[in-house]
PDB file of all heavy atoms in Angstrom:
ATOM      1  N   VAL A   1     137.604 121.565  75.676  1.00 98.00           N
ATOM      2  CA  VAL A   1     137.526 121.099  77.179  1.00 98.00           C
ATOM      3  C   VAL A   1     138.330 122.055  78.099  1.00 98.00           C
ATOM      4  O   VAL A   1     138.282 121.874  79.221  1.00 98.00           O
ATOM      5  CB  VAL A   1     138.082 119.706  77.314  1.00 98.00           C
ATOM      6  CG1 VAL A   1     137.327 118.747  76.361  1.00 98.00           C
ATOM      7  CG2 VAL A   1     139.620 119.624  77.036  1.00 98.00           C
ATOM      8  N   LYS A   2     138.971 123.103  77.481  1.00 98.00           N
ATOM      9  CA  LYS A   2     139.749 123.952  78.328  1.00 98.00           C
ATOM     10  C   LYS A   2     138.890 124.638  79.431  1.00 98.00           C
ATOM     11  O   LYS A   2     137.851 125.158  79.133  1.00 98.00           O
ATOM     12  CB  LYS A   2     140.424 125.012  77.487  1.00 98.00           C
ATOM     13  CG  LYS A   2     141.452 125.865  78.119  1.00 98.00           C
ATOM     14  CD  LYS A   2     142.046 126.896  77.106  1.00 98.00           C
ATOM     15  CE  LYS A   2     142.734 126.044  75.988  1.00 98.00           C
ATOM     16  NZ  LYS A   2     143.466 127.053  75.032  1.00 98.00           N
ATOM     17  N   GLY A   3     139.448 124.600  80.704  1.00 98.00           N
ATOM     18  CA  GLY A   3     138.757 125.213  81.761  1.00 98.00           C
ATOM     19  C   GLY A   3     137.762 124.225  82.478  1.00 98.00           C
ATOM     20  O   GLY A   3     137.308 124.643  83.601  1.00 98.00           O
ATOM     21  N   ARG A   4     137.550 123.019  81.991  1.00 98.00           N
ATOM     22  CA  ARG A   4     136.627 122.073  82.477  1.00 98.00           C
ATOM     23  C   ARG A   4     137.399 120.754  82.850  1.00 98.00           C
ATOM     24  O   ARG A   4     137.017 120.182  83.771  1.00 98.00           O
ATOM     25  CB  ARG A   4     135.533 121.778  81.496  1.00 98.00           C
ATOM     26  CG  ARG A   4     134.635 122.987  81.064  1.00 98.00           C
ATOM     27  CD  ARG A   4     133.462 122.613  80.314  1.00 98.00           C
ATOM     28  NE  ARG A   4     133.834 121.909  79.023  1.00 98.00           N
ATOM     29  CZ  ARG A   4     133.469 120.717  78.734  1.00 98.00           C
ATOM     30  NH1 ARG A   4     132.811 119.953  79.493  1.00 98.00           N
ATOM     31  NH2 ARG A   4     133.858 120.249  77.482  1.00 98.00           N
ATOM     32  N   PHE A   5     138.443 120.364  82.076  1.00 98.00           N
ATOM     33  CA  PHE A   5     139.144 119.215  82.285  1.00 98.00           C
ATOM     34  C   PHE A   5     140.489 119.491  82.940  1.00 98.00           C
ATOM     35  O   PHE A   5     141.128 120.520  82.529  1.00 98.00           O
ATOM     36  CB  PHE A   5     139.330 118.368  81.059  1.00 98.00           C
ATOM     37  CG  PHE A   5     137.990 117.737  80.436  1.00 98.00           C
ATOM     38  CD1 PHE A   5     136.824 118.132  80.846  1.00 98.00           C
ATOM     39  CD2 PHE A   5     138.158 116.785  79.431  1.00 98.00           C
ATOM     40  CE1 PHE A   5     135.736 117.555  80.390  1.00 98.00           C
ATOM     41  CE2 PHE A   5     137.020 116.226  78.848  1.00 98.00           C
ATOM     42  CZ  PHE A   5     135.835 116.643  79.372  1.00 98.00           C
ATOM     43  N   THR A   6     141.008 118.624  83.654  1.00 98.00           N
ATOM     44  CA  THR A   6     142.252 118.695  84.307  1.00 98.00           C
ATOM     45  C   THR A   6     143.044 117.367  84.307  1.00 98.00           C
ATOM     46  O   THR A   6     142.566 116.454  84.782  1.00 98.00           O
ATOM     47  CB  THR A   6     142.238 119.223  85.708  1.00 98.00           C
ATOM     48  OG1 THR A   6     141.446 120.515  85.845  1.00 98.00           O
ATOM     49  CG2 THR A   6     143.691 119.462  86.342  1.00 98.00           C
ATOM     50  N   ILE A   7     144.154 117.393  83.700  1.00 97.00           N
ATOM     51  CA  ILE A   7     144.971 116.180  83.724  1.00 97.00           C
ATOM     52  C   ILE A   7     145.987 116.280  84.869  1.00 97.00           C
ATOM     53  O   ILE A   7     146.584 117.299  85.179  1.00 97.00           O
ATOM     54  CB  ILE A   7     145.795 116.064  82.392  1.00 97.00           C
ATOM     55  CG1 ILE A   7     146.387 114.669  82.237  1.00 97.00           C
ATOM     56  CG2 ILE A   7     146.730 117.145  82.104  1.00 97.00           C
ATOM     57  CD1 ILE A   7     147.007 114.354  80.834  1.00 97.00           C
ATOM     58  N   SER A   8     146.354 115.201  85.444  1.00 96.00           N
ATOM     59  CA  SER A   8     147.381 115.097  86.475  1.00 96.00           C
ATOM     60  C   SER A   8     147.882 113.726  86.585  1.00 96.00           C
ATOM     61  O   SER A   8     147.398 112.764  85.933  1.00 96.00           O
ATOM     62  CB  SER A   8     146.691 115.512  87.818  1.00 96.00           C
ATOM     63  OG  SER A   8     145.621 114.583  88.250  1.00 96.00           O
ATOM     64  N   ARG A   9     149.055 113.510  87.283  1.00 95.00           N
ATOM     65  CA  ARG A   9     149.656 112.248  87.501  1.00 95.00           C
ATOM     66  C   ARG A   9     150.170 112.036  88.892  1.00 95.00           C
ATOM     67  O   ARG A   9     150.490 113.054  89.582  1.00 95.00           O
ATOM     68  CB  ARG A   9     150.746 111.942  86.481  1.00 95.00           C
ATOM     69  CG  ARG A   9     152.042 112.807  86.689  1.00 95.00           C
ATOM     70  CD  ARG A   9     153.132 112.131  85.973  1.00 95.00           C
ATOM     71  NE  ARG A   9     153.348 112.802  84.587  1.00 95.00           N
ATOM     72  CZ  ARG A   9     154.020 112.084  83.643  1.00 95.00           C
ATOM     73  NH1 ARG A   9     154.303 110.896  83.647  1.00 95.00           N
ATOM     74  NH2 ARG A   9     154.156 112.882  82.472  1.00 95.00           N
ATOM     75  N   ASP A  10     150.249 110.820  89.315  1.00 95.00           N
ATOM     76  CA  ASP A  10     150.980 110.445  90.621  1.00 95.00           C
ATOM     77  C   ASP A  10     151.916 109.422  90.203  1.00 95.00           C
ATOM     78  O   ASP A  10     151.578 108.250  90.092  1.00 95.00           O
ATOM     79  CB  ASP A  10     149.835 110.096  91.596  1.00 95.00           C
ATOM     80  CG  ASP A  10     150.528 109.863  92.963  1.00 95.00           C
ATOM     81  OD1 ASP A  10     151.736 109.629  93.074  1.00 95.00           O
ATOM     82  OD2 ASP A  10     149.758 109.944  93.956  1.00 95.00           O
ATOM     83  N   ASN A  11     153.173 109.798  90.094  1.00 91.00           N
ATOM     84  CA  ASN A  11     154.145 108.827  89.670  1.00 91.00           C
ATOM     85  C   ASN A  11     154.407 107.767  90.780  1.00 91.00           C
ATOM     86  O   ASN A  11     154.777 106.687  90.372  1.00 91.00           O
ATOM     87  CB  ASN A  11     155.476 109.517  89.283  1.00 91.00           C
ATOM     88  CG  ASN A  11     155.396 110.317  88.025  1.00 91.00           C
ATOM     89  OD1 ASN A  11     154.624 109.978  87.083  1.00 91.00           O
ATOM     90  ND2 ASN A  11     156.333 111.411  87.845  1.00 91.00           N
ATOM     91  N   ALA A  12     154.287 108.169  91.980  1.00 93.00           N
ATOM     92  CA  ALA A  12     154.559 107.240  93.076  1.00 93.00           C
ATOM     93  C   ALA A  12     153.521 106.083  93.033  1.00 93.00           C
ATOM     94  O   ALA A  12     153.781 104.939  93.348  1.00 93.00           O
ATOM     95  CB  ALA A  12     154.467 107.955  94.373  1.00 93.00           C
ATOM     96  N   LYS A  13     152.256 106.351  92.523  1.00 96.00           N
ATOM     97  CA  LYS A  13     151.155 105.391  92.367  1.00 96.00           C
ATOM     98  C   LYS A  13     151.094 104.845  91.025  1.00 96.00           C
ATOM     99  O   LYS A  13     150.323 103.981  90.694  1.00 96.00           O
ATOM    100  CB  LYS A  13     149.853 105.971  92.811  1.00 96.00           C
ATOM    101  CG  LYS A  13     149.800 106.370  94.239  1.00 96.00           C
ATOM    102  CD  LYS A  13     148.355 106.960  94.572  1.00 96.00           C
ATOM    103  CE  LYS A  13     148.252 107.314  96.012  1.00 96.00           C
ATOM    104  NZ  LYS A  13     146.960 107.874  96.331  1.00 96.00           N
ATOM    105  N   ASN A  14     151.923 105.372  90.063  1.00 95.00           N
ATOM    106  CA  ASN A  14     151.958 104.918  88.684  1.00 95.00           C
ATOM    107  C   ASN A  14     150.550 105.010  88.038  1.00 95.00           C
ATOM    108  O   ASN A  14     150.014 104.254  87.435  1.00 95.00           O
ATOM    109  CB  ASN A  14     152.391 103.464  88.602  1.00 95.00           C
ATOM    110  CG  ASN A  14     153.334 103.216  87.379  1.00 95.00           C
ATOM    111  OD1 ASN A  14     154.015 104.176  86.980  1.00 95.00           O
ATOM    112  ND2 ASN A  14     153.305 102.094  86.830  1.00 95.00           N
ATOM    113  N   MET A  15     149.906 106.355  88.323  1.00 96.00           N
ATOM    114  CA  MET A  15     148.558 106.451  87.865  1.00 96.00           C
ATOM    115  C   MET A  15     148.468 107.869  87.197  1.00 96.00           C
ATOM    116  O   MET A  15     149.197 108.740  87.509  1.00 96.00           O
ATOM    117  CB  MET A  15     147.612 106.371  89.041  1.00 96.00           C
ATOM    118  CG  MET A  15     147.431 105.042  89.627  1.00 96.00           C
ATOM    119  SD  MET A  15     146.162 104.897  90.868  1.00 96.00           S
ATOM    120  CE  MET A  15     144.727 105.099  89.798  1.00 96.00           C
ATOM    121  N   VAL A  16     147.450 108.037  86.297  1.00 96.00           N
ATOM    122  CA  VAL A  16     147.222 109.224  85.543  1.00 96.00           C
ATOM    123  C   VAL A  16     145.685 109.417  85.820  1.00 96.00           C
ATOM    124  O   VAL A  16     144.928 108.589  85.860  1.00 96.00           O
ATOM    125  CB  VAL A  16     147.371 109.061  84.054  1.00 96.00           C
ATOM    126  CG1 VAL A  16     147.071 110.379  83.382  1.00 96.00           C
ATOM    127  CG2 VAL A  16     148.866 108.712  83.859  1.00 96.00           C
ATOM    128  N   TYR A  17     145.328 110.704  85.931  1.00 98.00           N
ATOM    129  CA  TYR A  17     143.865 111.129  86.164  1.00 98.00           C
ATOM    130  C   TYR A  17     143.438 112.266  85.191  1.00 98.00           C
ATOM    131  O   TYR A  17     144.188 112.996  84.697  1.00 98.00           O
ATOM    132  CB  TYR A  17     143.729 111.711  87.594  1.00 98.00           C
ATOM    133  CG  TYR A  17     144.347 110.772  88.632  1.00 98.00           C
ATOM    134  CD1 TYR A  17     145.612 110.992  89.112  1.00 98.00           C
ATOM    135  CD2 TYR A  17     143.611 109.717  89.198  1.00 98.00           C
ATOM    136  CE1 TYR A  17     146.094 110.193  90.172  1.00 98.00           C
ATOM    137  CE2 TYR A  17     144.130 108.968  90.160  1.00 98.00           C
ATOM    138  CZ  TYR A  17     145.381 109.263  90.653  1.00 98.00           C
ATOM    139  OH  TYR A  17     145.796 108.333  91.729  1.00 98.00           O
ATOM    140  N   LEU A  18     142.103 112.202  84.932  1.00 98.00           N
ATOM    141  CA  LEU A  18     141.482 113.284  84.184  1.00 98.00           C
ATOM    142  C   LEU A  18     140.222 113.590  84.954  1.00 98.00           C
ATOM    143  O   LEU A  18     139.262 112.884  85.054  1.00 98.00           O
ATOM    144  CB  LEU A  18     141.052 112.741  82.801  1.00 98.00           C
ATOM    145  CG  LEU A  18     140.485 113.820  81.989  1.00 98.00           C
ATOM    146  CD1 LEU A  18     141.499 114.874  81.491  1.00 98.00           C
ATOM    147  CD2 LEU A  18     139.893 113.146  80.653  1.00 98.00           C
ATOM    148  N   GLN A  19     140.242 114.820  85.570  1.00 98.00           N
ATOM    149  CA  GLN A  19     139.054 115.350  86.319  1.00 98.00           C
ATOM    150  C   GLN A  19     138.268 116.109  85.268  1.00 98.00           C
ATOM    151  O   GLN A  19     138.736 116.995  84.572  1.00 98.00           O
ATOM    152  CB  GLN A  19     139.579 116.288  87.334  1.00 98.00           C
ATOM    153  CG  GLN A  19     138.407 117.003  88.151  1.00 98.00           C
ATOM    154  CD  GLN A  19     137.497 116.087  88.976  1.00 98.00           C
ATOM    155  OE1 GLN A  19     138.140 115.151  89.668  1.00 98.00           O
ATOM    156  NE2 GLN A  19     136.228 116.115  88.935  1.00 98.00           N
ATOM    157  N   MET A  20     136.990 115.729  85.152  1.00 98.00           N
ATOM    158  CA  MET A  20     136.063 116.396  84.106  1.00 98.00           C
ATOM    159  C   MET A  20     134.984 117.104  84.955  1.00 98.00           C
ATOM    160  O   MET A  20     134.169 116.363  85.591  1.00 98.00           O
ATOM    161  CB  MET A  20     135.538 115.349  83.128  1.00 98.00           C
ATOM    162  CG  MET A  20     136.688 114.529  82.481  1.00 98.00           C
ATOM    163  SD  MET A  20     136.006 113.409  81.225  1.00 98.00           S
ATOM    164  CE  MET A  20     135.077 112.274  82.302  1.00 98.00           C
ATOM    165  N   ASN A  21     134.747 118.382  84.784  1.00 98.00           N
ATOM    166  CA  ASN A  21     133.750 119.154  85.487  1.00 98.00           C
ATOM    167  C   ASN A  21     132.967 119.812  84.376  1.00 98.00           C
ATOM    168  O   ASN A  21     133.236 119.942  83.152  1.00 98.00           O
ATOM    169  CB  ASN A  21     134.342 120.241  86.328  1.00 98.00           C
ATOM    170  CG  ASN A  21     135.220 119.648  87.442  1.00 98.00           C
ATOM    171  OD1 ASN A  21     134.965 118.551  87.926  1.00 98.00           O
ATOM    172  ND2 ASN A  21     136.255 120.371  87.822  1.00 98.00           N
ATOM    173  N   SER A  22     131.749 120.234  84.747  1.00 98.00           N
ATOM    174  CA  SER A  22     130.749 120.884  83.920  1.00 98.00           C
ATOM    175  C   SER A  22     130.586 120.137  82.602  1.00 98.00           C
ATOM    176  O   SER A  22     130.643 120.652  81.530  1.00 98.00           O
ATOM    177  CB  SER A  22     131.290 122.351  83.583  1.00 98.00           C
ATOM    178  OG  SER A  22     131.415 123.099  84.742  1.00 98.00           O
ATOM    179  N   LEU A  23     130.297 118.918  82.748  1.00 98.00           N
ATOM    180  CA  LEU A  23     130.242 117.971  81.555  1.00 98.00           C
ATOM    181  C   LEU A  23     128.987 118.359  80.793  1.00 98.00           C
ATOM    182  O   LEU A  23     127.974 118.738  81.193  1.00 98.00           O
ATOM    183  CB  LEU A  23     130.152 116.482  82.094  1.00 98.00           C
ATOM    184  CG  LEU A  23     131.511 116.027  82.451  1.00 98.00           C
ATOM    185  CD1 LEU A  23     131.326 114.760  83.335  1.00 98.00           C
ATOM    186  CD2 LEU A  23     132.360 115.624  81.245  1.00 98.00           C
ATOM    187  N   LYS A  24     129.200 118.178  79.427  1.00 98.00           N
ATOM    188  CA  LYS A  24     128.180 118.503  78.444  1.00 98.00           C
ATOM    189  C   LYS A  24     127.902 117.243  77.626  1.00 98.00           C
ATOM    190  O   LYS A  24     128.703 116.313  77.590  1.00 98.00           O
ATOM    191  CB  LYS A  24     128.740 119.522  77.375  1.00 98.00           C
ATOM    192  CG  LYS A  24     129.197 120.739  78.102  1.00 98.00           C
ATOM    193  CD  LYS A  24     129.858 121.752  76.978  1.00 98.00           C
ATOM    194  CE  LYS A  24     130.347 122.974  77.722  1.00 98.00           C
ATOM    195  NZ  LYS A  24     130.990 123.884  76.672  1.00 98.00           N
ATOM    196  N   PRO A  25     126.644 117.148  77.068  1.00 98.00           N
ATOM    197  CA  PRO A  25     126.295 116.002  76.229  1.00 98.00           C
ATOM    198  C   PRO A  25     127.374 115.631  75.155  1.00 98.00           C
ATOM    199  O   PRO A  25     127.572 114.409  74.859  1.00 98.00           O
ATOM    200  CB  PRO A  25     124.932 116.349  75.581  1.00 98.00           C
ATOM    201  CG  PRO A  25     124.416 117.199  76.677  1.00 98.00           C
ATOM    202  CD  PRO A  25     125.552 118.075  77.189  1.00 98.00           C
ATOM    203  N   GLU A  26     128.002 116.629  74.530  1.00 97.00           N
ATOM    204  CA  GLU A  26     128.963 116.413  73.552  1.00 97.00           C
ATOM    205  C   GLU A  26     130.278 115.812  74.038  1.00 97.00           C
ATOM    206  O   GLU A  26     131.150 115.433  73.290  1.00 97.00           O
ATOM    207  CB  GLU A  26     129.202 117.755  72.680  1.00 97.00           C
ATOM    208  CG  GLU A  26     129.529 118.886  73.618  1.00 97.00           C
ATOM    209  CD  GLU A  26     128.392 119.713  73.893  1.00 97.00           C
ATOM    210  OE1 GLU A  26     127.351 119.201  74.140  1.00 97.00           O
ATOM    211  OE2 GLU A  26     128.572 121.043  73.800  1.00 97.00           O
ATOM    212  N   ASP A  27     130.361 115.722  75.445  1.00 98.00           N
ATOM    213  CA  ASP A  27     131.592 115.091  75.990  1.00 98.00           C
ATOM    214  C   ASP A  27     131.401 113.521  76.032  1.00 98.00           C
ATOM    215  O   ASP A  27     132.274 112.810  76.328  1.00 98.00           O
ATOM    216  CB  ASP A  27     131.748 115.498  77.402  1.00 98.00           C
ATOM    217  CG  ASP A  27     132.200 117.092  77.465  1.00 98.00           C
ATOM    218  OD1 ASP A  27     132.970 117.490  76.640  1.00 98.00           O
ATOM    219  OD2 ASP A  27     131.690 117.767  78.373  1.00 98.00           O
ATOM    220  N   THR A  28     130.256 113.026  75.689  1.00 98.00           N
ATOM    221  CA  THR A  28     129.934 111.545  75.633  1.00 98.00           C
ATOM    222  C   THR A  28     130.872 111.018  74.629  1.00 98.00           C
ATOM    223  O   THR A  28     130.909 111.310  73.479  1.00 98.00           O
ATOM    224  CB  THR A  28     128.474 111.385  75.211  1.00 98.00           C
ATOM    225  OG1 THR A  28     127.589 111.844  76.280  1.00 98.00           O
ATOM    226  CG2 THR A  28     128.224 109.869  75.163  1.00 98.00           C
ATOM    227  N   ALA A  29     131.587 109.915  75.097  1.00 98.00           N
ATOM    228  CA  ALA A  29     132.537 109.221  74.304  1.00 98.00           C
ATOM    229  C   ALA A  29     133.233 108.088  75.153  1.00 98.00           C
ATOM    230  O   ALA A  29     133.028 108.047  76.339  1.00 98.00           O
ATOM    231  CB  ALA A  29     133.682 110.175  73.867  1.00 98.00           C
ATOM    232  N   VAL A  30     133.939 107.288  74.409  1.00 98.00           N
ATOM    233  CA  VAL A  30     134.839 106.403  75.175  1.00 98.00           C
ATOM    234  C   VAL A  30     136.267 107.087  75.328  1.00 98.00           C
ATOM    235  O   VAL A  30     136.744 107.675  74.358  1.00 98.00           O
ATOM    236  CB  VAL A  30     135.170 105.137  74.308  1.00 98.00           C
ATOM    237  CG1 VAL A  30     136.117 104.170  74.985  1.00 98.00           C
ATOM    238  CG2 VAL A  30     133.808 104.343  74.145  1.00 98.00           C
ATOM    239  N   TYR A  31     136.681 107.184  76.505  1.00 98.00           N
ATOM    240  CA  TYR A  31     137.938 107.813  76.920  1.00 98.00           C
ATOM    241  C   TYR A  31     139.076 106.888  77.049  1.00 98.00           C
ATOM    242  O   TYR A  31     138.958 105.861  77.766  1.00 98.00           O
ATOM    243  CB  TYR A  31     137.662 108.728  78.165  1.00 98.00           C
ATOM    244  CG  TYR A  31     136.864 109.910  77.854  1.00 98.00           C
ATOM    245  CD1 TYR A  31     135.602 109.893  77.759  1.00 98.00           C
ATOM    246  CD2 TYR A  31     137.482 111.210  77.828  1.00 98.00           C
ATOM    247  CE1 TYR A  31     134.810 111.090  77.436  1.00 98.00           C
ATOM    248  CE2 TYR A  31     136.870 112.396  77.688  1.00 98.00           C
ATOM    249  CZ  TYR A  31     135.430 112.243  77.337  1.00 98.00           C
ATOM    250  OH  TYR A  31     134.751 113.399  77.186  1.00 98.00           O
ATOM    251  N   TYR A  32     140.204 107.183  76.557  1.00 98.00           N
ATOM    252  CA  TYR A  32     141.439 106.373  76.623  1.00 98.00           C
ATOM    253  C   TYR A  32     142.577 107.174  77.218  1.00 98.00           C
ATOM    254  O   TYR A  32     142.767 108.337  76.866  1.00 98.00           O
ATOM    255  CB  TYR A  32     141.808 106.017  75.161  1.00 98.00           C
ATOM    256  CG  TYR A  32     140.785 105.218  74.322  1.00 98.00           C
ATOM    257  CD1 TYR A  32     139.843 105.828  73.634  1.00 98.00           C
ATOM    258  CD2 TYR A  32     140.800 103.832  74.374  1.00 98.00           C
ATOM    259  CE1 TYR A  32     138.846 105.178  72.926  1.00 98.00           C
ATOM    260  CE2 TYR A  32     139.822 103.104  73.639  1.00 98.00           C
ATOM    261  CZ  TYR A  32     138.908 103.836  72.929  1.00 98.00           C
ATOM    262  OH  TYR A  32     138.013 103.097  72.159  1.00 98.00           O
ATOM    263  N   CYS A  33     143.356 106.490  78.003  1.00 97.00           N
ATOM    264  CA  CYS A  33     144.650 107.058  78.387  1.00 97.00           C
ATOM    265  C   CYS A  33     145.795 106.479  77.551  1.00 97.00           C
ATOM    266  O   CYS A  33     145.599 105.353  77.028  1.00 97.00           O
ATOM    267  CB  CYS A  33     144.925 106.939  79.857  1.00 97.00           C
ATOM    268  SG  CYS A  33     145.153 105.186  80.357  1.00 97.00           S
ATOM    269  N   ALA A  34     146.842 107.211  77.442  1.00 97.00           N
ATOM    270  CA  ALA A  34     148.032 106.819  76.619  1.00 97.00           C
ATOM    271  C   ALA A  34     149.309 107.250  77.179  1.00 97.00           C
ATOM    272  O   ALA A  34     149.303 108.265  77.844  1.00 97.00           O
ATOM    273  CB  ALA A  34     147.811 107.220  75.121  1.00 97.00           C
ATOM    274  N   ALA A  35     150.381 106.550  76.741  1.00 96.00           N
ATOM    275  CA  ALA A  35     151.662 106.998  77.348  1.00 96.00           C
ATOM    276  C   ALA A  35     152.688 106.744  76.199  1.00 96.00           C
ATOM    277  O   ALA A  35     152.586 105.808  75.398  1.00 96.00           O
ATOM    278  CB  ALA A  35     152.046 106.123  78.564  1.00 96.00           C
ATOM    279  N   SER A  36     153.654 107.668  76.148  1.00 94.00           N
ATOM    280  CA  SER A  36     154.690 107.675  75.250  1.00 94.00           C
ATOM    281  C   SER A  36     156.050 107.422  75.861  1.00 94.00           C
ATOM    282  O   SER A  36     156.473 108.061  76.902  1.00 94.00           O
ATOM    283  CB  SER A  36     154.847 108.895  74.351  1.00 94.00           C
ATOM    284  OG  SER A  36     155.914 109.020  73.488  1.00 94.00           O
ATOM    285  N   SER A  37     156.848 106.458  75.373  1.00 88.00           N
ATOM    286  CA  SER A  37     158.183 106.192  75.888  1.00 88.00           C
ATOM    287  C   SER A  37     159.154 107.310  75.595  1.00 88.00           C
ATOM    288  O   SER A  37     160.265 107.327  76.192  1.00 88.00           O
ATOM    289  CB  SER A  37     158.711 104.876  75.475  1.00 88.00           C
ATOM    290  OG  SER A  37     158.820 104.789  74.067  1.00 88.00           O
TER     291      SER A  37
END
């Protein structure tokens, strides 16, 4: 996914994002976010 996906966060909004560009059929999946304490 390098060069196509971008992870980011907005701590003020308590949100995480994943921007996915140039998507391919092999990207088809269930996507999960996760956090570590």
